[in-house]
Amino acid sequence: MGHSMPLEGRSLAIFIVSIVMMSISIITVSLRSFVRLNILRAFGWDDALMVAALILFIILNACCIVGSSNGVGHPRAEFISTEIYQRALIWWWLGQMLYIWASVVAKISIALALLRLAVKKSYRLILWSIIATVITIGLMFWFVLLFTCNPISHFWRQVDGTSTGTCLHMSTIVNIAYFYSSVTILCDIALGLLPAFLIWKLQMNSRTKFAVGGILGLGAIASVAVICRIPFLRFYADENFLYTTYQIAIWSIIETGLGIIAGSLVTLRPLFRWLLDENSTLNHKSSREGKYCGPYRLSSLKSEPTKGSQNTKYWRPDVDPDDNKTVIVVSSQRKNKLSISNSSQEALNPEPGISPNHVTIEKTFIQTVTEGKK
């Protein structure tokens, strides 16, 4: 179709925000999927819903990108034809439809992830209430936008003066938008504060509690974008709304993107542990090749002739065997398979008797022997 309108000013702002938020969201959800499928091997409903939210978000951004290239963000006076203006209205309308469900599905995914940590019945009831509320207000606002005009196509065809139909007064749309945003803010704040109560009684120190609670509460960051969008909702009733509502488009994209990104970042902790384990494996491999890059296994001997030696000075390949120091290494290991009772959530409140995957305790004693002394 090509660029029907110049990509500049407010159109360019929508275009750039769409590209940036979509790219970061794709990266974070891809990393989340890698963690769930390849590291934890536990892909749950919350993960599937986040992938679905990403797909909807990608389509939403595609509408914003194409819409900004077709006049969304331009004042009506700059449109050179009615046909181009109608196309811009169609892309704006489609973006609104997709925004609602991308945002709703992302919030449901975050709530399901928290449900896996909720033990008390009251917390589970709160989370299910949030899910029900998000779905209800999402359906309500979606139906309002879908049937703003009767027939639906009258929304964009009315500009040529030949279409017959009726539309809701835009003040009604504005009031419903205010209500939808207010309830959304409350749900986001609830999803951000609830993790603090979920981990309050867990067996961990205060610093860990603050860290875990902060990570789990990242989902509430989307409420910041909703709050920033509220002052611009009144422009729904503006006759030149394709130009004046560009801030609504930008903050809607940011809100949904932040929800997807924050909800996925929460799940990436095993990725860093996996990378550290991989580095540890490479370090051991390098040590067997004669390069000291980190911890050594007790069975690592310096050369073939010394493998059977009982002399402690040959036990560490990083120590000069001719040095007059005795190196004694004592190591103990425990290795247990961590059972994850949950299909897609790490056990933050493990059952009694379950130990971490792998714990190694190593103590090194260096004793200097001086000639002439016993």
Side-chain angles (χ1 to χ4, degrees):
M1 186 178 293
H3 289 184
S4 301
M5 297 288 289
L7 197 60
E8 60 185 14
R10 299 185 176 187
S11 294
L12 182 60
I14 296 173
F15 182 88
I16 293 175
V17 171
S18 299
I19 293 291
V20 171
M21 295 305 296
M22 181 176 61
S23 301
I24 299 175
S25 298
I26 291 173
I27 292 172
T28 53
V29 175
S30 298
L31 291 175
R32 174 186 182 134
S33 299
F34 174 78
V35 169
R36 298 305 198 186
L37 292 172
N38 295 278
I39 299 178
L40 297 181
R41 301 187 184 277
F43 197 83
W45 279 106
D46 53 334
D47 307 305
L49 286 174
M50 192 59 80
V51 172
L54 175 65
I55 294 172
L56 291 170
F57 188 56
I58 291 173
I59 301 174
L60 163 62
N61 282 280
C63 290
C64 292
I65 291 170
V66 177
S68 62
S69 301
N70 282 273
V72 176
H74 284 270
R76 186 169 182 176
E78 293 183 0
F79 286 88
I80 58 177
S81 70
T82 302
E83 180 185 355
I84 297 175
Y85 188 63
Q86 285 182 342
R87 282 209 306 264
L89 288 173
I90 291 173
W91 290 116
W92 186 92
W93 182 83
L94 285 175
Q96 288 291 297
M97 298 292 103
L98 289 163
Y99 149 71
I100 295 172
W101 288 115
S103 176
V104 167
V105 174
K107 287 177 174 59
I108 295 174
S109 173
I110 294 172
L112 285 179
L114 293 177
L115 268 172
R116 302 182 183 283
L117 301 177
V119 177
K120 289 187 177 181
K121 185 177 180 179
S122 58
Y123 295 154
R124 299 182 65 84
L125 182 60
I126 292 173
L127 286 169
W128 280 116
S129 299
I130 292 174
I131 292 174
T133 302
V134 167
I135 294 174
T136 301
I137 63 170
L139 278 171
M140 179 199 69
F141 197 38
W142 184 75
F143 277 120
V144 168
L145 292 178
L146 179 63
F147 299 111
T148 296
C149 294
N150 183 28
I152 295 174
S153 60
H154 184 63
F155 178 80
W156 56 84
R157 287 182 177 177
Q158 60 182 316
V159 296
D160 60 10
T162 60
S163 175
T164 58
T166 59
C167 292
L168 291 174
H169 197 277
M170 290 308 295
S171 61
T172 303
I173 306 295
V174 172
N175 292 331
I176 295 175
Y178 277 125
F179 175 74
Y180 172 81
S181 298
S182 300
V183 177
T184 299
I185 291 172
L186 293 176
C187 291
D188 287 340
I189 292 175
L191 289 175
L193 294 178
L194 194 58
F197 296 95
L198 293 178
I199 67 171
W200 185 255
K201 293 185 179 180
L202 296 184
Q203 298 297 323
M204 56 178 66
N205 57 47
S206 299
R207 177 197 270 178
T208 305
K209 285 183 179 180
F210 281 120
V212 174
I215 293 173
L216 293 176
L218 285 175
I221 199 173
S223 63
V224 176
V226 183
I227 294 172
C228 293
R229 187 182 61 200
I230 287 180
F232 305 101
L233 294 179
R234 58 190 176 88
F235 292 120
Y236 270 121
D238 196 308
E239 291 184 359
N240 202 17
F241 69 92
L242 283 182
Y243 177 73
T244 56
T245 59
Y246 87 104
Q247 289 277 17
I248 296 177
I250 288 177
W251 287 112
S252 296
I253 294 169
I254 293 176
E255 174 204 345
T256 309
L258 286 178
I260 293 173
I261 294 167
S264 298
L265 287 176
V266 170
T267 66
L268 299 186
R269 186 183 173 194
L271 178 63
F272 298 104
R273 290 209 306 266
W274 178 78
L275 291 174
L276 290 174
D277 290 342
E278 286 293 306
N279 290 335
S280 177
T281 302
L282 291 174
N283 287 340
H284 288 310
K285 182 178 179 180
S286 297
S287 69
R288 288 195 299 269
E289 294 173 354
K291 301 176 182 178
Y292 178 70
C293 301
Y296 287 88
R297 297 178 182 178
L298 292 179
S299 59
S300 299
L301 297 177
K302 190 168 184 179
S303 61
E304 288 294 331
T306 60
K307 281 189 176 180
S309 174
Q310 298 300 317
N311 194 328
T312 57
K313 69 181 181 181
Y314 295 112
W315 288 9
R316 289 285 295 271
D318 59 318
V319 177
D320 184 359
D322 296 323
D323 195 0
N324 59 348
K325 294 180 181 179
T326 300
V327 180
I328 303 173
V329 181
V330 180
S331 178
S332 63
Q333 294 183 356
R334 288 191 65 183
K335 195 172 184 179
N336 285 315
K337 196 172 183 179
L338 177 63
S339 63
I340 301 177
S341 58
N342 207 293
S343 64
S344 67
Q345 184 65 42
E346 288 184 277
L348 293 179
N349 189 14
E351 300 175 2
I354 298 181
S355 61
N357 280 347
H358 195 150
V359 178
T360 301
I361 301 173
E362 180 176 295
K363 295 182 179 179
T364 303
F365 302 92
I366 301 179
Q367 178 180 359
T368 303
V369 182
T370 304
E371 293 183 1
K373 294 184 180 180
K374 292 182 179 181

mmCIF file of all heavy atoms in Angstrom, residues 96-129:
data_model
loop_
_atom_site.group_PDB
_atom_site.id
_atom_site.type_symbol
_atom_site.label_atom_id
_atom_site.label_comp_id
_atom_site.label_asym_id
_atom_site.label_seq_id
_atom_site.Cartn_x
_atom_site.Cartn_y
_atom_site.Cartn_z
ATOM 1 N N GLN A 96 -7.388 -0.069 18.639
ATOM 2 C CA GLN A 96 -8.123 -0.018 19.902
ATOM 3 C C GLN A 96 -8.666 -1.396 20.283
ATOM 4 O O GLN A 96 -8.633 -1.803 21.446
ATOM 5 C CB GLN A 96 -9.279 0.983 19.789
ATOM 6 C CG GLN A 96 -8.854 2.421 19.760
ATOM 7 C CD GLN A 96 -8.280 2.875 21.103
ATOM 8 O OE1 GLN A 96 -8.959 2.881 22.119
ATOM 9 N NE2 GLN A 96 -7.016 3.250 21.096
ATOM 10 N N MET A 97 -9.174 -2.124 19.306
ATOM 11 C CA MET A 97 -9.706 -3.464 19.565
ATOM 12 C C MET A 97 -8.616 -4.406 20.100
ATOM 13 O O MET A 97 -8.829 -5.156 21.064
ATOM 14 C CB MET A 97 -10.281 -4.072 18.272
ATOM 15 C CG MET A 97 -11.455 -3.325 17.650
ATOM 16 S SD MET A 97 -12.965 -3.385 18.639
ATOM 17 C CE MET A 97 -12.919 -1.746 19.357
ATOM 18 N N LEU A 98 -7.455 -4.349 19.468
ATOM 19 C CA LEU A 98 -6.369 -5.255 19.832
ATOM 20 C C LEU A 98 -5.714 -4.860 21.153
ATOM 21 O O LEU A 98 -5.278 -5.727 21.922
ATOM 22 C CB LEU A 98 -5.323 -5.288 18.721
ATOM 23 C CG LEU A 98 -5.773 -5.997 17.435
ATOM 24 C CD1 LEU A 98 -4.868 -5.624 16.276
ATOM 25 C CD2 LEU A 98 -5.779 -7.508 17.653
ATOM 26 N N TYR A 99 -5.640 -3.572 21.428
ATOM 27 C CA TYR A 99 -5.025 -3.103 22.669
ATOM 28 C C TYR A 99 -5.715 -3.717 23.887
ATOM 29 O O TYR A 99 -5.052 -4.170 24.835
ATOM 30 C CB TYR A 99 -5.086 -1.580 22.750
ATOM 31 C CG TYR A 99 -5.181 -1.062 24.168
ATOM 32 C CD1 TYR A 99 -4.092 -1.139 25.035
ATOM 33 C CD2 TYR A 99 -6.385 -0.538 24.656
ATOM 34 C CE1 TYR A 99 -4.193 -0.691 26.343
ATOM 35 C CE2 TYR A 99 -6.488 -0.092 25.957
ATOM 36 C CZ TYR A 99 -5.401 -0.177 26.804
ATOM 37 O OH TYR A 99 -5.503 0.244 28.095
ATOM 38 N N ILE A 100 -7.040 -3.723 23.879
ATOM 39 C CA ILE A 100 -7.786 -4.206 25.048
ATOM 40 C C ILE A 100 -7.411 -5.640 25.364
ATOM 41 O O ILE A 100 -7.076 -5.982 26.509
ATOM 42 C CB ILE A 100 -9.306 -4.077 24.801
ATOM 43 C CG1 ILE A 100 -9.685 -2.603 24.689
ATOM 44 C CG2 ILE A 100 -10.089 -4.749 25.921
ATOM 45 C CD1 ILE A 100 -11.118 -2.379 24.269
ATOM 46 N N TRP A 101 -7.416 -6.512 24.369
ATOM 47 C CA TRP A 101 -7.182 -7.928 24.650
ATOM 48 C C TRP A 101 -5.717 -8.247 24.892
ATOM 49 O O TRP A 101 -5.398 -9.140 25.681
ATOM 50 C CB TRP A 101 -7.748 -8.787 23.524
ATOM 51 C CG TRP A 101 -9.231 -8.795 23.577
ATOM 52 C CD1 TRP A 101 -10.103 -8.300 22.660
ATOM 53 C CD2 TRP A 101 -10.036 -9.273 24.668
ATOM 54 N NE1 TRP A 101 -11.396 -8.449 23.094
ATOM 55 C CE2 TRP A 101 -11.384 -9.041 24.319
ATOM 56 C CE3 TRP A 101 -9.746 -9.864 25.887
ATOM 57 C CZ2 TRP A 101 -12.444 -9.390 25.159
ATOM 58 C CZ3 TRP A 101 -10.794 -10.214 26.732
ATOM 59 C CH2 TRP A 101 -12.113 -9.985 26.367
ATOM 60 N N ALA A 102 -4.806 -7.532 24.261
ATOM 61 C CA ALA A 102 -3.385 -7.732 24.562
ATOM 62 C C ALA A 102 -3.105 -7.372 26.013
ATOM 63 O O ALA A 102 -2.388 -8.095 26.725
ATOM 64 C CB ALA A 102 -2.527 -6.890 23.623
ATOM 65 N N SER A 103 -3.687 -6.270 26.490
ATOM 66 C CA SER A 103 -3.494 -5.846 27.875
ATOM 67 C C SER A 103 -4.154 -6.805 28.854
ATOM 68 O O SER A 103 -3.569 -7.180 29.873
ATOM 69 C CB SER A 103 -4.067 -4.435 28.053
ATOM 70 O OG SER A 103 -3.983 -4.012 29.392
ATOM 71 N N VAL A 104 -5.369 -7.232 28.544
ATOM 72 C CA VAL A 104 -6.109 -8.140 29.439
ATOM 73 C C VAL A 104 -5.392 -9.481 29.576
ATOM 74 O O VAL A 104 -5.213 -9.997 30.684
ATOM 75 C CB VAL A 104 -7.548 -8.343 28.919
ATOM 76 C CG1 VAL A 104 -8.220 -9.524 29.632
ATOM 77 C CG2 VAL A 104 -8.372 -7.082 29.123
ATOM 78 N N VAL A 105 -4.954 -10.049 28.463
ATOM 79 C CA VAL A 105 -4.302 -11.369 28.498
ATOM 80 C C VAL A 105 -2.985 -11.296 29.261
ATOM 81 O O VAL A 105 -2.634 -12.218 30.010
ATOM 82 C CB VAL A 105 -4.086 -11.901 27.066
ATOM 83 C CG1 VAL A 105 -3.275 -13.192 27.076
ATOM 84 C CG2 VAL A 105 -5.428 -12.140 26.376
ATOM 85 N N ALA A 106 -2.232 -10.200 29.111
ATOM 86 C CA ALA A 106 -0.980 -10.045 29.852
ATOM 87 C C ALA A 106 -1.243 -9.993 31.356
ATOM 88 O O ALA A 106 -0.515 -10.604 32.148
ATOM 89 C CB ALA A 106 -0.249 -8.790 29.393
ATOM 90 N N LYS A 107 -2.268 -9.282 31.777
ATOM 91 C CA LYS A 107 -2.599 -9.192 33.207
ATOM 92 C C LYS A 107 -3.052 -10.539 33.756
ATOM 93 O O LYS A 107 -2.709 -10.915 34.890
ATOM 94 C CB LYS A 107 -3.684 -8.139 33.427
ATOM 95 C CG LYS A 107 -3.197 -6.705 33.269
ATOM 96 C CD LYS A 107 -4.338 -5.723 33.439
ATOM 97 C CE LYS A 107 -3.841 -4.283 33.431
ATOM 98 N NZ LYS A 107 -3.141 -3.913 32.187
ATOM 99 N N ILE A 108 -3.808 -11.296 32.977
ATOM 100 C CA ILE A 108 -4.240 -12.625 33.421
ATOM 101 C C ILE A 108 -3.026 -13.536 33.612
ATOM 102 O O ILE A 108 -2.950 -14.310 34.571
ATOM 103 C CB ILE A 108 -5.228 -13.243 32.413
ATOM 104 C CG1 ILE A 108 -6.518 -12.421 32.377
ATOM 105 C CG2 ILE A 108 -5.539 -14.690 32.774
ATOM 106 C CD1 ILE A 108 -7.483 -12.863 31.305
ATOM 107 N N SER A 109 -2.056 -13.440 32.702
ATOM 108 C CA SER A 109 -0.842 -14.249 32.816
ATOM 109 C C SER A 109 -0.092 -13.932 34.101
ATOM 110 O O SER A 109 0.361 -14.842 34.812
ATOM 111 C CB SER A 109 0.065 -14.009 31.604
ATOM 112 O OG SER A 109 1.298 -14.651 31.754
ATOM 113 N N ILE A 110 0.045 -12.650 34.430
ATOM 114 C CA ILE A 110 0.736 -12.254 35.663
ATOM 115 C C ILE A 110 -0.012 -12.774 36.884
ATOM 116 O O ILE A 110 0.590 -13.279 37.835
ATOM 117 C CB ILE A 110 0.880 -10.726 35.721
ATOM 118 C CG1 ILE A 110 1.804 -10.237 34.597
ATOM 119 C CG2 ILE A 110 1.437 -10.285 37.072
ATOM 120 C CD1 ILE A 110 1.855 -8.722 34.451
ATOM 121 N N ALA A 111 -1.346 -12.673 36.870
ATOM 122 C CA ALA A 111 -2.146 -13.145 37.999
ATOM 123 C C ALA A 111 -2.027 -14.657 38.165
ATOM 124 O O ALA A 111 -1.937 -15.164 39.294
ATOM 125 C CB ALA A 111 -3.609 -12.754 37.799
ATOM 126 N N LEU A 112 -2.003 -15.414 37.062
ATOM 127 C CA LEU A 112 -1.854 -16.874 37.151
ATOM 128 C C LEU A 112 -0.483 -17.246 37.715
ATOM 129 O O LEU A 112 -0.361 -18.224 38.464
ATOM 130 C CB LEU A 112 -2.046 -17.509 35.774
ATOM 131 C CG LEU A 112 -3.476 -17.584 35.248
ATOM 132 C CD1 LEU A 112 -3.497 -18.217 33.862
ATOM 133 C CD2 LEU A 112 -4.374 -18.374 36.199
ATOM 134 N N ALA A 113 0.549 -16.485 37.360
ATOM 135 C CA ALA A 113 1.879 -16.755 37.903
ATOM 136 C C ALA A 113 1.888 -16.549 39.419
ATOM 137 O O ALA A 113 2.503 -17.327 40.161
ATOM 138 C CB ALA A 113 2.913 -15.850 37.236
ATOM 139 N N LEU A 114 1.198 -15.512 39.896
ATOM 140 C CA LEU A 114 1.123 -15.270 41.342
ATOM 141 C C LEU A 114 0.266 -16.325 42.031
ATOM 142 O O LEU A 114 0.504 -16.645 43.202
ATOM 143 C CB LEU A 114 0.556 -13.874 41.605
ATOM 144 C CG LEU A 114 1.442 -12.699 41.168
ATOM 145 C CD1 LEU A 114 0.737 -11.377 41.428
ATOM 146 C CD2 LEU A 114 2.779 -12.733 41.890
ATOM 147 N N LEU A 115 -0.717 -16.868 41.336
ATOM 148 C CA LEU A 115 -1.550 -17.926 41.920
ATOM 149 C C LEU A 115 -0.717 -19.141 42.298
ATOM 150 O O LEU A 115 -1.053 -19.876 43.231
ATOM 151 C CB LEU A 115 -2.647 -18.338 40.935
ATOM 152 C CG LEU A 115 -3.986 -17.609 41.039
ATOM 153 C CD1 LEU A 115 -4.891 -17.987 39.872
ATOM 154 C CD2 LEU A 115 -4.671 -17.938 42.358
ATOM 155 N N ARG A 116 0.369 -19.373 41.594
ATOM 156 C CA ARG A 116 1.219 -20.521 41.880
ATOM 157 C C ARG A 116 1.975 -20.349 43.188
ATOM 158 O O ARG A 116 2.511 -21.307 43.725
ATOM 159 C CB ARG A 116 2.203 -20.748 40.726
ATOM 160 C CG ARG A 116 1.490 -20.967 39.392
ATOM 161 C CD ARG A 116 2.471 -21.226 38.285
ATOM 162 N NE ARG A 116 1.788 -21.364 37.014
ATOM 163 C CZ ARG A 116 1.130 -22.435 36.630
ATOM 164 N NH1 ARG A 116 1.058 -23.480 37.431
ATOM 165 N NH2 ARG A 116 0.538 -22.480 35.451
ATOM 166 N N LEU A 117 2.046 -19.107 43.679
ATOM 167 C CA LEU A 117 2.718 -18.843 44.950
ATOM 168 C C LEU A 117 1.733 -18.678 46.093
ATOM 169 O O LEU A 117 2.139 -18.713 47.254
ATOM 170 C CB LEU A 117 3.563 -17.574 44.845
ATOM 171 C CG LEU A 117 4.656 -17.547 43.772
ATOM 172 C CD1 LEU A 117 5.329 -16.192 43.767
ATOM 173 C CD2 LEU A 117 5.668 -18.653 43.995
ATOM 174 N N ALA A 118 0.474 -18.439 45.747
ATOM 175 C CA ALA A 118 -0.532 -18.165 46.781
ATOM 176 C C ALA A 118 -0.934 -19.455 47.488
ATOM 177 O O ALA A 118 -1.391 -20.403 46.865
ATOM 178 C CB ALA A 118 -1.755 -17.503 46.161
ATOM 179 N N VAL A 119 -0.755 -19.469 48.807
ATOM 180 C CA VAL A 119 -1.109 -20.631 49.614
ATOM 181 C C VAL A 119 -2.434 -20.391 50.342
ATOM 182 O O VAL A 119 -3.306 -21.253 50.374
ATOM 183 C CB VAL A 119 0.004 -20.951 50.625
ATOM 184 C CG1 VAL A 119 -0.406 -22.116 51.513
ATOM 185 C CG2 VAL A 119 1.313 -21.242 49.905
ATOM 186 N N LYS A 120 -2.581 -19.195 50.896
ATOM 187 C CA LYS A 120 -3.794 -18.879 51.636
ATOM 188 C C LYS A 120 -4.985 -18.737 50.692
ATOM 189 O O LYS A 120 -4.862 -18.214 49.578
ATOM 190 C CB LYS A 120 -3.612 -17.596 52.433
ATOM 191 C CG LYS A 120 -2.676 -17.731 53.623
ATOM 192 C CD LYS A 120 -2.683 -16.455 54.452
ATOM 193 C CE LYS A 120 -1.814 -16.598 55.692
ATOM 194 N NZ LYS A 120 -1.838 -15.364 56.519
ATOM 195 N N LYS A 121 -6.122 -19.164 51.169
ATOM 196 C CA LYS A 121 -7.344 -19.097 50.372
ATOM 197 C C LYS A 121 -7.716 -17.654 50.067
ATOM 198 O O LYS A 121 -8.223 -17.350 48.971
ATOM 199 C CB LYS A 121 -8.481 -19.793 51.123
ATOM 200 C CG LYS A 121 -9.768 -19.891 50.319
ATOM 201 C CD LYS A 121 -10.829 -20.652 51.098
ATOM 202 C CE LYS A 121 -12.125 -20.743 50.290
ATOM 203 N NZ LYS A 121 -13.173 -21.496 51.030
ATOM 204 N N SER A 122 -7.483 -16.745 51.016
ATOM 205 C CA SER A 122 -7.835 -15.336 50.810
ATOM 206 C C SER A 122 -7.041 -14.729 49.656
ATOM 207 O O SER A 122 -7.585 -13.962 48.847
ATOM 208 C CB SER A 122 -7.588 -14.545 52.098
ATOM 209 O OG SER A 122 -6.230 -14.651 52.499
ATOM 210 N N TYR A 123 -5.747 -15.062 49.558
ATOM 211 C CA TYR A 123 -4.929 -14.543 48.469
ATOM 212 C C TYR A 123 -5.384 -15.089 47.125
ATOM 213 O O TYR A 123 -5.441 -14.357 46.126
ATOM 214 C CB TYR A 123 -3.458 -14.887 48.693
ATOM 215 C CG TYR A 123 -2.849 -14.227 49.916
ATOM 216 C CD1 TYR A 123 -1.764 -14.791 50.570
ATOM 217 C CD2 TYR A 123 -3.370 -13.041 50.420
ATOM 218 C CE1 TYR A 123 -1.205 -14.193 51.700
ATOM 219 C CE2 TYR A 123 -2.817 -12.431 51.538
ATOM 220 C CZ TYR A 123 -1.744 -13.018 52.172
ATOM 221 O OH TYR A 123 -1.203 -12.415 53.276
ATOM 222 N N ARG A 124 -5.713 -16.367 47.089
ATOM 223 C CA ARG A 124 -6.195 -16.972 45.853
ATOM 224 C C ARG A 124 -7.527 -16.347 45.424
ATOM 225 O O ARG A 124 -7.765 -16.128 44.234
ATOM 226 C CB ARG A 124 -6.337 -18.476 46.015
ATOM 227 C CG ARG A 124 -5.033 -19.191 46.345
ATOM 228 C CD ARG A 124 -5.224 -20.697 46.442
ATOM 229 N NE ARG A 124 -5.596 -21.257 45.160
ATOM 230 C CZ ARG A 124 -4.730 -21.588 44.206
ATOM 231 N NH1 ARG A 124 -3.429 -21.403 44.395
ATOM 232 N NH2 ARG A 124 -5.154 -22.100 43.073
ATOM 233 N N LEU A 125 -8.360 -16.046 46.405
ATOM 234 C CA LEU A 125 -9.645 -15.419 46.097
ATOM 235 C C LEU A 125 -9.432 -14.023 45.512
ATOM 236 O O LEU A 125 -10.119 -13.633 44.554
ATOM 237 C CB LEU A 125 -10.491 -15.335 47.374
ATOM 238 C CG LEU A 125 -11.897 -14.731 47.219
ATOM 239 C CD1 LEU A 125 -12.725 -15.560 46.247
ATOM 240 C CD2 LEU A 125 -12.591 -14.642 48.570
ATOM 241 N N ILE A 126 -8.471 -13.289 46.061
ATOM 242 C CA ILE A 126 -8.174 -11.951 45.540
ATOM 243 C C ILE A 126 -7.682 -12.034 44.096
ATOM 244 O O ILE A 126 -8.111 -11.264 43.220
ATOM 245 C CB ILE A 126 -7.119 -11.255 46.429
ATOM 246 C CG1 ILE A 126 -7.712 -10.930 47.799
ATOM 247 C CG2 ILE A 126 -6.607 -9.989 45.752
ATOM 248 C CD1 ILE A 126 -6.701 -10.390 48.783
ATOM 249 N N LEU A 127 -6.792 -12.980 43.819
ATOM 250 C CA LEU A 127 -6.241 -13.108 42.469
ATOM 251 C C LEU A 127 -7.308 -13.514 41.464
ATOM 252 O O LEU A 127 -7.365 -12.981 40.348
ATOM 253 C CB LEU A 127 -5.092 -14.119 42.478
ATOM 254 C CG LEU A 127 -3.792 -13.622 43.121
ATOM 255 C CD1 LEU A 127 -2.818 -14.766 43.327
ATOM 256 C CD2 LEU A 127 -3.158 -12.538 42.255
ATOM 257 N N TRP A 128 -8.165 -14.454 41.843
ATOM 258 C CA TRP A 128 -9.254 -14.851 40.941
ATOM 259 C C TRP A 128 -10.228 -13.694 40.729
ATOM 260 O O TRP A 128 -10.788 -13.530 39.627
ATOM 261 C CB TRP A 128 -9.986 -16.073 41.473
ATOM 262 C CG TRP A 128 -9.274 -17.362 41.201
ATOM 263 C CD1 TRP A 128 -8.750 -18.240 42.103
ATOM 264 C CD2 TRP A 128 -9.006 -17.928 39.900
ATOM 265 N NE1 TRP A 128 -8.159 -19.304 41.461
ATOM 266 C CE2 TRP A 128 -8.309 -19.151 40.116
ATOM 267 C CE3 TRP A 128 -9.278 -17.528 38.599
ATOM 268 C CZ2 TRP A 128 -7.894 -19.959 39.060
ATOM 269 C CZ3 TRP A 128 -8.862 -18.332 37.544
ATOM 270 C CH2 TRP A 128 -8.174 -19.538 37.785
ATOM 271 N N SER A 129 -10.418 -12.882 41.755
ATOM 272 C CA SER A 129 -11.286 -11.701 41.614
ATOM 273 C C SER A 129 -10.681 -10.699 40.636
ATOM 274 O O SER A 129 -11.399 -10.087 39.828
ATOM 275 C CB SER A 129 -11.505 -11.039 42.974
ATOM 276 O OG SER A 129 -12.147 -11.915 43.879
#
